[in-house]
């Protein structure tokens, strides 16, 4: 029997595993980097061991330090979570060689499926690896890293002329991210022929039993990373489901698989194309847990202890949908956001998170804040429930994708089950169009009027006077609002002020009464779900930037500059100049105009802060 588990991970998944361990009466050990010294997973574990440094390469990717931490803390088992070392066969061997229980598949199974090209060959599929394998008729195609995942080392190619450059760039990114520059090419389905990302959850024991726990659809993706997942995958024929599950079992038996794993497919034109096998727990595992009534982490632990699964898996019931809440701005090329998370509350659904109110979101790791999961008897009910919970959610802090998630879940393509992996490529502008509440600035101003010291006369004047004025920035626009102090209290033109206090304002317009909850953090004001910035009465005349300045959109590291880029070079509008890496994603910084690069202020490997000057491009004269 396992007594103490060290989780070789951080954040949400570490907290998730700890929750099950507590329910089973198992003690828990966390590991933490210097950046995670006060992180939630560090605080909730029974014991925690520091991994000196902040970068993943120095901390969560140091298998030797993690094994040493497990031994020093008295753990007898290691759970890898997902990401980091979860699919590293060498780490799995190091754990077992140290006399610890590995809560995962055998190292040889991880090794067999670690390379996507090797996995394809194992399944009888010969991968395409070079430009010579592709003709115009094959386009578009996806260049993909053979190792790793998470959207790293991927490039969509629509012209054969771009293929060599895409292969070179993907190899460089894959080598940097995974230490393996091997890439391959597979068909890319979009438009009317758009493909769906469908996967099968498997669970196997050491006694020869392999369960399939249904399908999941993970088609809503950005940057090849999943955003919304659900189980079961809607709209599949019974025959196709049987084919998917049969292939998944065949893959598991081919490598002697043990534990929880996922086999992924691209479904297009009624056909299933094998993609890969993930030899770990998936981020989206909660939707399967909800539908099948199982705790997959508990099952992983029981399998690792040698227990046998029942002959048949439990029966599915209902439908579950999960949405990943990210600290990112979808309208700005999904740029990750950092800062203080003042408040996080998503009501009435399961919420898996690694953050609590007051935690800081840093630059070193993935920007996912939480996963919200809704379960109901039908798909329509589950989707409606999750959309409603997210709409009512309180998320105060950096910009998030919350509004995008709500609109995605209510989009006709999604509600009808007709989505595919090109969903955001088609609909992102409409899904990110600003739609702030027009009365939010007035509510903020009225609450502000009630938040300071009040005289016994309530602020009204006996003689008619100019209105009180407040200025706010909302959705990129400046709003100036006016209100009056009168004998009857606060008033505003065109709106009836029913009630106004420092944290709650009730307004009535066109016969409809609405309540606004107002919260302040310095100059940041939240009115229900609308974020505003309180502006000074007098504009700041000191902030000036040279025309053509390119500023860092986020904190990050300059991972590479465009080939041959030097000051004085001629550049074209849209030409990539450099790439920033932040929160496990690469972000391209391109020239905003055609002209001359007059200033290049950064170099490879340099750390930059938000707003830092990267380069200056002097525009061509008309």
């Amino acid at each position: 029997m396992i007594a103490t588990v060290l989780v070789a991970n951080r954040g949400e998944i570490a907290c998730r595993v700890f929750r099950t361990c507590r329910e089973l009466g198992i003690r828990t050990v966390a590991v933490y980097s210097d950046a995670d010294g006060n992180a939630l997973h560090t605080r909730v574990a029974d014991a925690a061991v520091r991994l000196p440094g902040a970068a993943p390469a120095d901390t969560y990717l140091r298998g030797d330090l993690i094994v040493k931490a497990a031994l020093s803390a008295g753990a007898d088992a290691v759970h890898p979570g997902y990401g980091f070392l979860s699919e590293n066969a060498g780490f799995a061997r190091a754990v077992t060689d140290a006399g610890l229980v590995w809560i995962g598949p055998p190292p040889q199974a991880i090794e067999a499926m670690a390379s996507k090209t090797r996995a394809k060959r194992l399944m009888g599929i010969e991968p395409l690896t070079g430009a010579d394998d592709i003709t115009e008729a094959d386009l578009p195609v996806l260049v993909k890293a053979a190792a790793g995942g998470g959207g790293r080392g991927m490039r969509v190619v629509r012209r054969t002329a771009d293929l060599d450059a895409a292969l070179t760039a993907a190899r460089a990114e894959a080598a940097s991210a995974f230490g393996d520059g091997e890439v391959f090419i597979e068909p890319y389905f979009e438009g009317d022929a758009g493909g769906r990302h469908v996967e099968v959850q498997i669970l196997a024991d050491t006694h020869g039993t392999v369960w399939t726990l249904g399908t999941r659809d993970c088609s809503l993706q950005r940057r090849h990373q999943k955003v919304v997942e659900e189980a079961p995958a809607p709209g599949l024929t019974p025959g196709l489901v049987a084919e998917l599950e049969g292939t998944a079992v065949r893959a598991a038996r081919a490598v002697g698989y043990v534990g929880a794993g996922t086999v992924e497919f691209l479904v297009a034109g009624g056909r299933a194309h094998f993609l890969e096998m993930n030899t770990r727990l998936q981020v989206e595992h909660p939707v399967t847990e909800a539908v099948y009534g199982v705790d997959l982490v508990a099952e992983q632990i029981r399998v690792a202890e040698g227990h046998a699964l029942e002959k048949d898996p439990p029966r599915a019931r209902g439908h579950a949908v999960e949405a990943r809440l990210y600290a990112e701005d979808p309208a700005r090329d999904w740029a990750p956001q950092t800062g203080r998370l003042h408040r996080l509350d998503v009501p009435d659904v399961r919420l898996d998170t690694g953050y609590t109110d007051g935690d800081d979101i840093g630059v070193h790791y993935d920007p996912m804040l939480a996963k919200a999961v809704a379960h109901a008897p039908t798909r329509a009910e589950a989707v409606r429930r999750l959309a409603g919970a997210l709409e009512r959610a309180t998320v105060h802090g950096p910009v998030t994708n919350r509004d995008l998630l709500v609109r995605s879940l209510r989009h006709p393509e999604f509600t009808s089950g007709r989505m595919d992996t090109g969903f955001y490529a088609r609909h992102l502008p409409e899904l990110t169009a600003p739609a702030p509440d027009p009365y939010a600035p007035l509510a903020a101003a009225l609450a502000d009027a009630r938040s300071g010291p009040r005289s016994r006369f309530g602020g009204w004047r006996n003689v008619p006077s100019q209105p009180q004025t407040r200025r706010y920035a909302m959705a990129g626009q400046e709003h100036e609002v006016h209100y009056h102090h009168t004998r009857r209290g606060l008033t505003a033109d065109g709106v009836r002020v029913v009630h106004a206090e420092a944290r709650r304002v009730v307004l009535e317009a066109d016969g409809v009464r609405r309540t606004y909850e107002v919260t302040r953090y310095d100059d940041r004001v939240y009115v229900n779900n609308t974020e505003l910035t309180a502006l000074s009465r007098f504009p700041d005349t000191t902030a000036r930037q040279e025309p053509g300045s390119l500023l860092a959109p986020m904190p990050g590291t300059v991972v590479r500059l465009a080939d041959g880029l030097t000051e004085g070079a001629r550049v074209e509008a849209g030409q990539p100049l450099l790439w920033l890496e932040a929160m496990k994603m690469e972000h391209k910084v391109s020239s905003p105009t055609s002209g001359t690069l007059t200033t290049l202020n950064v170099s490879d490997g340099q750390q930059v802060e938000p707003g830092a000057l990267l380069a200056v491009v002097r525009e061509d004269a008309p």
Side-chain angles (χ1 to χ4, degrees):
M1 297 290 288
I2 292 171
T4 304
V5 169
L6 178 141
V7 177
N9 219 293
R10 64 172 302 279
E12 175 269 324
I13 185 57
C15 293
R16 161 71 188 92
V17 176
F18 291 159
R19 185 171 69 244
T20 289
C21 287
R22 284 194 298 272
E23 292 171 357
L24 297 177
I26 296 173
R27 293 186 296 275
T28 57
V29 179
V31 288
Y32 65 94
S33 69
D34 290 342
D36 279 339
N38 194 43
L40 181 61
H41 79 277
T42 306
R43 305 197 304 264
V44 301
D46 295 316
V49 180
R50 174 177 173 248
L51 303 175
D58 301 324
T59 54
Y60 298 110
L61 292 175
R62 286 287 303 273
D64 57 332
L65 296 182
I66 293 173
V67 170
K68 182 179 177 182
L71 295 173
S72 64
D76 51 4
V78 172
H79 191 297
Y82 52 70
F84 294 129
L85 295 171
S86 61
E87 295 181 278
N88 186 301
F91 177 57
R93 287 195 181 93
V95 168
T96 56
D97 288 347
L100 301 167
V101 176
W102 170 249
I103 306 176
Q108 59 270 25
I110 298 175
E111 215 159 41
M113 290 293 182
S115 165
K116 296 177 180 65
T117 53
R118 191 161 58 243
K120 284 179 178 290
R121 292 187 179 102
L122 191 65
M123 300 300 292
I125 304 166
E126 187 59 36
L128 305 175
T129 57
D132 293 341
D133 296 326
I134 304 302
T135 67
E136 288 287 343
D138 298 318
L139 299 175
V141 295
L142 180 67
V143 178
K144 196 170 181 179
R152 307 295 298 275
M154 287 189 183
R155 298 292 187 278
V156 177
V157 180
R158 295 180 173 85
R159 303 187 311 159
T160 53
D162 299 332
L163 189 54
D164 283 330
L167 286 166
T168 300
R171 289 185 184 114
E173 187 178 355
S176 173
F178 313 122
D180 183 346
E182 183 186 5
V183 299
F184 66 101
I185 304 167
E186 62 185 22
Y188 184 71
F189 297 92
E190 59 184 351
D192 293 337
R196 291 172 55 188
H197 188 121
V198 177
E199 56 193 33
V200 175
Q201 175 72 56
I202 63 168
L203 187 66
D205 62 18
T206 56
H207 304 273
T209 300
V210 179
W211 282 0
T212 58
L213 293 169
T215 58
R216 295 190 290 251
D217 188 291
C218 310
S219 296
L220 264 61
Q221 303 179 4
R222 54 94 167 112
R223 294 175 175 264
H224 308 292
Q225 290 181 309
K226 301 161 188 174
V227 177
V228 176
E229 304 102 342
E230 60 182 300
L236 302 182
T237 65
L240 185 54
V241 171
E243 178 187 346
L244 294 169
E245 292 182 340
T247 302
V249 171
R250 184 160 58 91
R253 294 198 182 282
V255 295
Y257 199 80
V258 174
T262 297
V263 182
E264 302 196 348
F265 302 87
L266 183 68
V267 174
R271 295 181 55 200
H273 305 265
F274 171 81
L275 293 177
E276 60 183 301
M277 182 177 185
N278 288 314
T279 53
R280 55 171 168 80
L281 197 66
Q282 292 279 89
V283 178
E284 57 272 20
H285 75 272
V287 291
T288 299
E289 292 184 323
V291 169
Y292 283 87
V294 298
D295 182 331
L296 287 173
V297 174
E299 295 299 333
Q300 285 184 296
I301 292 172
R302 292 188 181 103
V303 166
E305 290 177 328
H307 297 292
L309 297 171
E310 298 291 332
K311 179 182 178 183
D312 297 313
R315 296 184 62 182
R317 57 177 187 84
H319 201 96
V321 187
E322 172 183 290
R324 303 189 192 186
L325 184 67
Y326 284 102
E328 65 183 13
D329 189 347
R332 293 176 52 229
D333 196 27
W334 312 97
Q337 307 292 298
T338 60
R340 178 66 53 84
L341 181 65
H342 298 289
R343 183 82 191 282
L344 175 63
D345 178 49
V346 184
D348 306 323
V349 294
R350 170 176 169 175
L351 191 71
D352 286 9
T353 182
Y355 292 94
T356 56
D357 298 354
D359 285 350
D360 290 319
I361 302 165
V363 302
H364 297 95
Y365 311 111
D366 186 274
M368 189 176 75
L369 299 180
K371 305 179 308 194
V373 186
H375 179 246
T378 67
R379 181 178 189 268
E381 291 172 293
V383 171
R384 183 176 64 186
R385 184 181 175 200
L386 183 57
L390 288 167
E391 187 175 49
R392 295 189 303 275
T394 302
V395 188
H396 294 169
V399 174
T400 72
N401 67 335
R402 189 268 305 278
D403 291 343
L404 172 91
L405 295 174
V406 174
R407 295 180 183 183
S408 300
L409 292 166
R410 290 173 173 166
H411 193 280
E413 272 189 30
F414 185 81
T415 57
S416 63
R418 294 183 289 109
M419 64 286 176
D420 57 57
T421 54
F423 179 82
Y424 286 124
R426 293 191 300 275
H427 300 300
L428 190 60
E430 66 189 86
L431 294 171
T432 56
D437 189 315
Y439 296 110
L442 176 59
L446 296 175
D448 185 54
R450 291 302 195 196
S451 64
R454 296 171 60 186
S455 76
R456 59 183 293 204
F457 299 108
W460 68 274
R461 297 186 181 183
N462 196 33
V463 179
S465 63
Q466 293 297 317
Q468 300 293 318
T469 302
R470 293 285 189 276
R471 294 171 55 243
Y472 298 92
M474 179 177 71
Q477 300 291 323
E478 183 179 316
H479 296 261
E480 186 173 275
V481 295
H482 308 279
Y483 61 92
H484 295 268
H485 284 283
T486 71
R487 294 174 187 267
R488 301 183 307 275
L490 295 168
T491 65
D493 293 340
V495 179
R496 178 176 171 238
V497 182
V498 178
H499 178 82
E501 58 185 36
R503 295 183 62 88
R504 183 172 174 269
V505 174
V506 182
L507 302 176
E508 186 176 296
D510 300 324
V512 179
R513 183 175 294 190
R514 292 180 174 86
T515 300
Y516 297 91
E517 301 295 331
V518 182
T519 310
R520 298 174 192 78
Y521 307 95
D522 297 325
D523 64 346
R524 191 84 58 89
V525 184
Y526 291 88
V527 180
N528 291 349
N529 289 331
T530 300
E531 179 186 330
L532 304 93
T533 301
L535 302 177
S536 169
R537 291 177 58 195
F538 307 103
D540 180 9
T541 60
T542 62
R544 295 286 186 270
Q545 290 292 342
E546 182 178 349
S549 295
L550 278 74
L551 306 181
M554 68 204 75
T557 304
V558 178
V559 290
R560 66 181 187 278
L561 303 177
D563 291 341
L565 190 68
T566 58
E567 291 183 356
R570 165 80 187 174
V571 296
E572 301 296 330
Q575 176 183 334
L577 302 182
L578 55 94
W579 286 261
L580 284 177
E581 184 179 87
M583 293 179 164
K584 296 173 63 178
M585 293 190 290
E586 279 196 5
H587 303 268
K588 180 172 60 179
V589 178
S590 301
S591 176
T593 186
S594 297
T596 302
L597 182 70
T598 60
T599 301
L600 182 59
N601 211 36
V602 293
S603 58
D604 284 351
Q606 183 174 334
Q607 296 275 343
V608 296
E609 295 298 319
L613 179 66
L614 303 176
V616 178
V617 177
R618 187 177 64 208
E619 187 176 6
D620 289 338

